[in-house]
Structures are given as structure tokens and as C-alpha cells.
Amino acid sequence: MMHDPVPLPTTLHPEIANEAPGDATPLLRLVDVRKYFPGRRAFLRSDMVAVKAVDGVSLSVRRGETLGLVGESGCGKSTLGRCILHLEPPTAGQVLFDGQDLATLSAEEMRRRRREMQIVFQDPYSALNPRKTVGSILTEAYRIHGLYMPAERMDKARALLDMVGLRTEHIHRYPHEFSGGQRQRICIARAIALDPKLIVADEAVSALDVSVQAQVLNLMVTLQKRLGLTYVFISHDLRVVRHISDRVGVMYLGRLVELSDTASLYRRPLHPYSEALLSALPRLGPRTGATRIVLKGDMPSPINPPSGCAFHPRCPQRRDRCAVETPELREHAPGRLAACHYPLLDVPSAQDSALPSDISKHNNNFQRTGLAP
Amino acid sequence: MSEDVLSIRNLHTHFRTEDGVVKSVRGVDLDIGPGEVVGLVGESGSGKSVTAHSIMRLIPSSGRIVQGEILFEGEDLAHASVRQMQKVRGNRIAMIFQEPMTSLNPVLRIGEQVADVLRLHRGLSKAQALDEAKNLLGRVGIPDPQARLANFPHELSGGQRQRVMIATALACRPKLIIADEPTTALDVTIQAQILDLLIDLKHDVGCSVLLITHDLGVISETADRVAVMYAGQIVEFAEVAALFDEPLHPYTLGLMRSVPKLDEDLPEDRLLPVIGGVVPNLAELPDGCAFQTRCPHVQPRCRIEEPPLREARPAHKVRCWLHDA
């Protein structure tokens, strides 16, 4: 056994208290999800240890909302995304989709369920089969699930292209004939082909140029409204996550360290890691000489995580207790959860006073530069 | 004003491809003063990396500098011989690439790689070179540099590897460092460490830096002056404060507006202002301004005549007919 079996929580989990009143069942609920991979402590050493890629994440996603998941490389956000879709079955814990535990489904039931949850990956170059035309790529899901008559399928594919802002006459083209942004639109079209409820977007706009990224983000927002989609939006880009998410979860070393509504998180993060992450982000606009929090060192290896709070070796606020006791994700203010013994509740915000902000007068610049429309 | 370290005049770099001649760089003029950090910002295909590689004469064989001068310490690098370039590269001009794992040799120890540069360009003995390598690693903030000398690149984290690259770049006390997307592959907290290090070292060493990036945030926190590139040309060139305070070119403005903000109220509909359309094909550019197909302020003149890069404000140049006084 790689680890002790994890008892399912019997008490009311804090996350449940975080659900909106009147929300019957959330579309997605994760209960203490863990994903451990076998790993070695050193090259050629035979003793195996559990690499805790995801280490006990609980959260829920409401219908129609966008939950952002942020964190740096190796924090487990992508693994969590794959666990949600059972592309990687979790080692322990439950993924409840529409109230149903995905682990209890038969293969046939799971196949049917998969129609309701889709994923969009970062790299549209490798996500599309280069030997298939766009039409073939988009109708594949219909063929697999035996939906519609063959003649109807191409019409459906044309409608999908139209929905994602591509020209329907390009249906016989191959992926290499499209630009990166257009290819990501094809991936999105494929994801919505089966009318899903949930889309997990794993760094879906990260490989795109700024101007193309804005176009694809707008497409995702428009489709969400039109089709009533729910998004789990995984990204390392804090700007993009703020723009698209209703709530945001911050991950560090396999754990959720903060979960909050977007506005509160960006205004005043509770966890020192979230604060450092936001502070490290380069601001738009000239240097003002303001100090930013620069964390020392790298993220520790999940093979050998630090004792107590995993963030304590890098934490500017750490105290003795942090090295010993692992903090639980707890509600510290309405709708605001953080896994920290000493959350930044009453401390004045570094963001407010010391940090420069993005310039916020671009709209006015239109007038000033004579570019007013 | 003292003499510029690097002065590029009317640089044109073209590539032969199946689709015809791709004009990647179309008449770039750029000056970098002593101790100055000049940022080159643009999207994929804007020509920013080709400009940098032209300076180092590292363009692939399908490409060629067809016109222009690259003046560096009295030498024209555009016409320098292979031998002359070998003396410049890694010595008087050093380069830092995006992906440190591919620029470091995976089967050589860190110490050997840094020491190699010192032995080649500064003629140090092996023992001297290793000792100096240790000092350099310490200087770029690598903990326990003596022990790291014996490590292989894969044993270091991405941030540490980029520090090794910076140490190698500094080894010969270059006059100019070209940093091509130096933090793009790094996480944001590590990016902050590396940017701080670059600025510190610039003050210490007094070298100039040409910083190439697609990230407007990185540019605004690091550069003194910024050149914005679009379709192979510099479309705007200004001091960093002036550029962000008052972007003059419609492309620069569009780019800034399409970056999601950190502190503004979100728009009700959650839609970002976008630049419509796509980047033009560099093999089939239209007459006139290259941005005409996407510009919200396009006039008949833009479709016929190409605007020159002209000073619209003191020390603020823009390539746009809107600012034609």
C-alpha cells in the first residue's frame, strides 16, 4: 500500500457551508480528492514513495459558474483537472458530478456521462489529429455516440464552426491550415459538440498571443452565457483567471490553500502564498519603486514535502506552529476559505499601500491621444 | 549623451520559404545606450526574436540580412566575418535564451560549462576558471555554489538553471546582454526573482540589456525604453513611462487594452476589448501601413502610403499617420 486509506469525512465539511443558499446540488463536488503517484526518492533507489500530486482537495462548483484554479508548476492543478473528469481516477476521495459519484459508474454509464463533461487543453497543435479534416474531427463525437444521421452530422459541424467564429467553408481543411487561435477555437467547438454541462479548460489560452488570447477568452465567455456552461478554468495566469472566474482556488503543493470569490481574493488575499503570488505579478505601467514580496527559493518537491504547512519554509509570516501542524482549509470570512494558521485578516493590505497598480486610464487615453472613436 | 553601445540602422532580414520571401524584419532602427535596458515587445511573428538573432548573426541558413548595419563598438556586425563574430558572441555580447534546459549541455557539469566560457574568452587556467565560476554562481544567488559546480543541469530547478545561464552570460563582463524571453518559461514567483537579479546585476556590471518579451508587465517593470514591434517593424518607441501613460500607436493601445487588468472593475459583460482580425502574412504584405487591416482608425492614406517612424512627442516615436504633424 502506498498510503493509509483515507477515511471519508463524517463531519460537515467547511466547503458545504460555502455553497450558495438555494443551490440544490452543485454540478460538481469534490470530497477530499487525492491523487498519489508512485515515485522514487532518488534515481536508481528502489524504495518507492507516494508523490502526493493532489492531497485532499474538497470544493464544489455551482451550475453556470466559473471556478478558477491557479498555482505554479507542480502544484497539482492539472492533475486535479484530470481527476475531475476521471481521466486519472483519484487514489482516494469522491468526484460527484450532478450528485453522482463517478467511481460507482459502470463503463457504459461513464461513457454516457462523459458527454456532459469535456476538456480543452493548452496546446491546440497536439490536441488535434493532423490527418483529419475539421469536419471529421467535429463529427467524431457524434459517430462514437451514435448521434444524428450521417448527413446531419456535417450540418451540426458547420453550426459548431459558426458558433466559435470560424468560417463554415473551412470544414474540409486540416488543422495545420489554421493559426494557433483558430485551432483553439476548433478544440472549443469539439468540446461543445455534445452539449456538455461542464468544461475543464486546462491552460486553454496560455499558449496564445495577448491579442488572440483576448479573442478566445471572449468566445469562452459568450459560449458560457449562450449554452449555460460551467467552467473549471485552470491557469497559471492570474490576470486571465481574475477576468473569467467567479470564484478562485489557489493551490500549493497538491493542496487548496485558499478558496474565495474573485473580487475578495484579488483585493485582499488571506493566505500569505496568495499574497506573494499576486505581489510577484509584474504590473502594467511604469516602475514606481514599490516593494514587492519576492519569495525565496523554489517550490519544494512533492516527493519530500515540508512538515506542517507545506508553505512554511518560504512563508514571510511563519511562526513555530506552522512547521508542526498542518492547517485545514477553514472559513475565515463569509465565503472565504484559507488553509493558514495566521490568515491575513486584519493586516493592512500590501496591495493597497505599497504596490503599484495597473494603469487604469486606457479608456481616457482615447481622448488624450485623439483616438476617440 | 555618450555614444550608443549598439546602433542598428535600417535592418532588413528576410527568409526564403515555400510561400515566398518572408520579410521578418523590415527596416528596424534601434539604439541602445550604455547601461540602458531597452525592451523589445511584440507578438509571435512580429520580428523581435529575428532582430535579436540578427545582432548575434544566429539566423538559420534560410534567412539573410539583406540590408542595413548593426554597429557595435565600431564594428558592423551585419558584415562581420565568422571569425570576428566568434570573438563577439558570448564575450562582448552575451545572450540568455528562454529555455535554459536546451541552452545548457545536459551531459556536462555546471562548473565545466561556466568554466569553459572563461577559459575560451578570458584565457584562464582550469583551476582559475572553476574558482571564478564558483564566484559567478554565488553572485547570481545560487546557494552553496561550490557544491553546484558538480551538478548536472537536470539536478537544478528551472529558476536555478536560468541563474546559471545568467552567470555564464556575465562571465566575460559583456557590454551588452540580449535576453530573449528570459522568464517566459518560469513561474511567476521565480520570474520575480530573476527580474530582480537582472536589474541588480545591470547596476553592478554596468552593461546594457536588450530585453525581448511578449509580456507587457515584464517590460514595464524592467525596461528604460521600449520598442513595440508589429509585422517586422518598430511601430512605437518611447520611454517606458511615456509608453504606458500615453500609448500613441493604435496597435500598442489595443495590445494594452486586451490584457486583463488586476485592479480595474470587471466589465459587466466580461468581454475584453480586442484587436479584430489577424496578423498579416509577412510574405504578402499590403501596400501602406501593415496594421491597416486591423486598425479602427484606418484612413484612405494608410492603404497607399507607409507611415514613417517619426517623433510625435519629444523622445517618443510612432509609425502612424494619425500623428503626422
Side-chain angles (χ1 to χ4, degrees):
Chain A
M1 244 348 244
M2 274 172 21
H3 60 92
D4 300 326
V6 181
L8 286 176
T10 44
T11 51
L12 187 74
H13 198 274
E15 174 55 27
I16 293 163
N18 194 29
E19 276 166 26
D23 191 358
T25 36
L27 180 65
L28 179 73
R29 216 175 109 205
L30 307 183
V31 184
D32 201 32
V33 168
R34 285 157 200 265
K35 181 69 192 177
Y36 297 173
F37 294 102
R40 287 172 214 273
R41 249 178 236 287
F43 185 55
L44 291 180
R45 287 255 313 249
S46 58
D47 51 332
M48 302 296 277
V49 288
V51 180
K52 299 177 177 178
V54 176
D55 196 18
V57 170
S58 301
L59 54 81
S60 60
V61 185
R62 298 173 203 128
R63 277 161 224 280
E65 86 166 337
T66 301
L67 176 79
L69 282 178
V70 292
E72 300 181 281
S73 336
C75 72
K77 57 190 191 300
S78 286
T79 306
L80 184 63
R82 299 174 69 88
C83 284
I84 290 173
L85 299 179
H86 262 235
L87 295 174
E88 307 262 16
T91 312
Q94 289 176 300
V95 179
L96 300 157
F97 185 82
D98 243 347
Q100 205 172 21
D101 185 350
L102 294 182
T104 64
L105 299 182
S106 71
E108 176 54 31
E109 285 170 322
M110 190 64 202
R111 207 172 68 92
R112 232 174 296 136
R113 266 291 186 212
R114 283 212 186 284
R115 281 163 54 176
E116 295 173 355
M117 36 191 189
Q118 295 289 330
I119 187 162
V120 177
F121 295 102
Q122 169 168 6
D123 184 7
Y125 295 75
S126 56
L128 298 171
N129 187 336
R131 301 216 221 169
K132 288 191 168 176
T133 62
V134 171
S136 167
I137 288 167
L138 293 181
T139 52
E140 190 173 17
Y142 300 136
R143 288 196 300 277
I144 289 171
H145 290 279
L147 296 170
Y148 308 113
M149 301 300 290
E152 282 176 287
R153 288 175 190 160
M154 279 310 243
D155 291 338
K156 283 274 166 196
R158 282 195 190 90
L160 287 171
L161 283 181
D162 188 53
M163 252 207 262
V164 299
L166 292 173
R167 286 159 63 177
T168 50
E169 59 265 34
H170 290 172
I171 196 161
H172 298 298
R173 292 198 176 180
Y174 289 88
H176 75 266
E177 295 174 83
F178 295 89
S179 68
Q182 289 172 323
R183 265 180 263 202
Q184 198 57 292
R185 286 173 192 265
I186 297 170
C187 292
I188 291 171
R190 178 174 61 181
I192 60 172
L194 292 170
D195 210 2
K197 291 179 180 162
L198 173 75
I199 291 183
V200 174
D202 188 0
E203 301 277 9
V205 298
S206 304
L208 306 174
D209 272 319
V210 175
S211 67
V212 182
Q213 175 179 287
Q215 294 172 358
V216 175
L217 279 175
N218 284 356
L219 172 68
M220 290 188 68
V221 169
T222 312
L223 288 175
Q224 178 170 42
K225 264 178 244 161
R226 196 161 150 192
L227 306 172
L229 295 166
T230 304
Y231 288 142
V232 172
F233 194 92
I234 300 166
S235 179
H236 71 283
D237 188 327
L238 291 151
R239 291 180 179 276
V240 169
V241 164
R242 174 179 186 262
H243 182 81
I244 201 162
S245 308
D246 302 304
R247 287 188 304 144
V248 178
V250 182
M251 289 186 71
Y252 188 78
L253 224 60
R255 288 170 167 268
L256 208 53
V257 295
E258 182 156 1
L259 181 63
S260 173
D261 66 283
T262 309
S264 311
L265 176 76
Y266 282 77
R267 202 179 310 118
R268 187 70 198 106
L270 291 181
H271 198 284
Y273 176 64
S274 316
E275 185 187 42
L277 209 54
L278 283 171
S279 145
L281 204 62
R283 296 305 196 266
L284 294 184
R287 278 198 295 271
T288 52
T291 49
R292 66 174 168 226
I293 308 162
V294 175
L295 290 178
K296 293 201 176 59
D298 295 311
M299 193 190 282
S301 157
I303 295 181
N304 224 341
S307 62
C309 170
F311 184 58
H312 87 264
R314 301 173 80 195
C315 183
Q317 320 277 345
R318 71 170 170 271
R319 295 179 218 177
D320 294 343
R321 183 182 168 196
C322 302
V324 189
E325 204 182 319
T326 309
E328 293 298 319
L329 190 68
R330 216 175 275 144
E331 190 160 18
H332 293 280
R336 308 202 55 197
L337 291 82
C340 182
H341 295 307
Y342 306 101
L344 308 163
L345 276 174
D346 304 313
V347 199
S349 163
Q351 308 279 353
D352 293 342
S353 49
L355 278 169
S357 58
D358 279 349
I359 35 165
S360 53
K361 2 172 216 217
H362 283 154
N363 292 325
N364 307 340
N365 279 341
F366 266 118
Q367 274 85 46
R368 281 206 281 149
T369 55
L371 292 185
Chain B
M1 175 106 186
S2 52
E3 203 163 296
D4 289 325
V5 171
L6 182 84
S7 173
I8 302 177
R9 291 276 157 266
N10 196 28
L11 178 72
H12 289 258
T13 305
H14 294 177
F15 288 86
R16 281 188 313 275
T17 67
E18 284 176 15
D19 304 329
V21 176
V22 172
K23 297 168 181 166
S24 296
V25 177
R26 306 186 296 129
V28 162
D29 292 302
L30 191 70
D31 298 309
I32 303 177
E36 190 182 33
V37 180
V38 172
L40 205 52
V41 69
E43 299 183 280
S44 319
S46 60
K48 56 190 194 305
S49 282
V50 177
T51 302
H53 289 126
S54 300
I55 299 170
M56 290 296 257
R57 294 276 300 279
L58 289 173
I59 32 183
S61 55
S62 63
R64 204 164 63 87
I65 297 175
V66 292
Q67 203 185 326
E69 290 177 327
I70 300 167
L71 299 171
F72 175 73
E73 295 191 319
E75 252 179 289
D76 179 8
L77 301 184
H79 299 97
S81 69
V82 175
R83 265 178 168 243
Q84 280 174 299
M85 281 313 298
Q86 279 171 351
K87 285 190 195 146
V88 171
R89 280 187 209 127
N91 188 14
R92 289 185 290 152
I93 305 181
M95 192 151 179
I96 302 167
F97 295 92
Q98 172 173 354
E99 196 11 275
M101 196 59 206
T102 52
S103 353
L104 289 168
N105 187 332
V107 298
L108 280 186
R109 295 176 194 279
I110 297 296
E112 290 171 72
Q113 305 201 34
V114 183
D116 267 356
V117 182
L118 293 159
R119 294 173 70 190
L120 181 71
H121 288 299
R122 279 170 57 187
L124 301 184
S125 74
K126 189 165 185 181
Q128 284 173 324
L130 277 174
D131 199 49
E132 177 69 12
K134 187 189 76 186
N135 294 339
L136 284 166
L137 292 185
R139 183 145 183 211
V140 295
I142 290 179
D144 195 3
Q146 181 69 48
R148 292 289 88 75
L149 290 176
N151 281 143
F152 289 99
H154 76 266
E155 296 176 278
L156 304 183
S157 68
Q160 301 288 14
R161 285 198 285 260
Q162 200 57 293
R163 287 177 193 267
V164 172
M165 287 307 299
I166 294 172
T168 316
L170 290 174
C172 298
R173 305 178 193 122
K175 274 282 170 57
L176 173 69
I177 293 181
I178 299 177
D180 189 358
E181 306 268 7
T183 58
T184 306
L186 304 175
D187 278 317
V188 55
T189 60
I190 308 299
Q191 166 173 288
Q193 295 174 359
I194 297 292
L195 290 179
D196 279 9
L197 174 68
L198 271 175
I199 296 172
D200 272 6
L201 291 173
K202 191 211 78 171
H203 287 307
D204 276 17
V205 181
C207 62
S208 309
V209 180
L210 178 62
L211 177 72
I212 294 151
T213 178
H214 69 284
D215 189 327
L216 288 167
V218 168
I219 281 282
S220 77
E221 295 217 343
T222 320
D224 299 314
R225 286 190 302 149
V226 186
V228 182
M229 285 194 76
Y230 184 79
Q233 293 179 320
I234 291 176
V235 294
E236 187 159 1
F237 198 1
E239 298 205 345
V240 68
L243 187 86
F244 282 92
D245 220 30
E246 197 177 354
L248 295 180
H249 198 283
Y251 174 67
T252 315
L253 188 60
L255 205 58
M256 287 182 185
R257 296 182 74 208
S258 57
V259 179
K261 303 296 175 292
L262 280 175
D263 43 18
E264 267 175 42
D265 289 338
L266 290 167
E268 191 71 20
D269 55 7
R270 289 272 172 120
L271 296 180
L272 282 164
V274 297
I275 307 173
V278 291
V279 180
N281 182 348
L282 287 174
E284 298 163 12
L285 282 168
D287 286 338
C289 174
F291 191 58
Q292 58 173 281
T293 50
R294 308 175 76 186
C295 184
H297 310 285
V298 64
Q299 302 159 13
R301 188 183 188 184
C302 308
R303 301 191 203 278
I304 309 157
E305 257 183 291
E306 184 164 69
L309 186 65
R310 212 178 269 168
E311 213 160 67
R313 306 262 194 287
H316 192 152
K317 290 181 187 168
V318 62
R319 189 187 287 277
C320 182
W321 289 124
L322 284 177
H323 302 283
D324 188 39

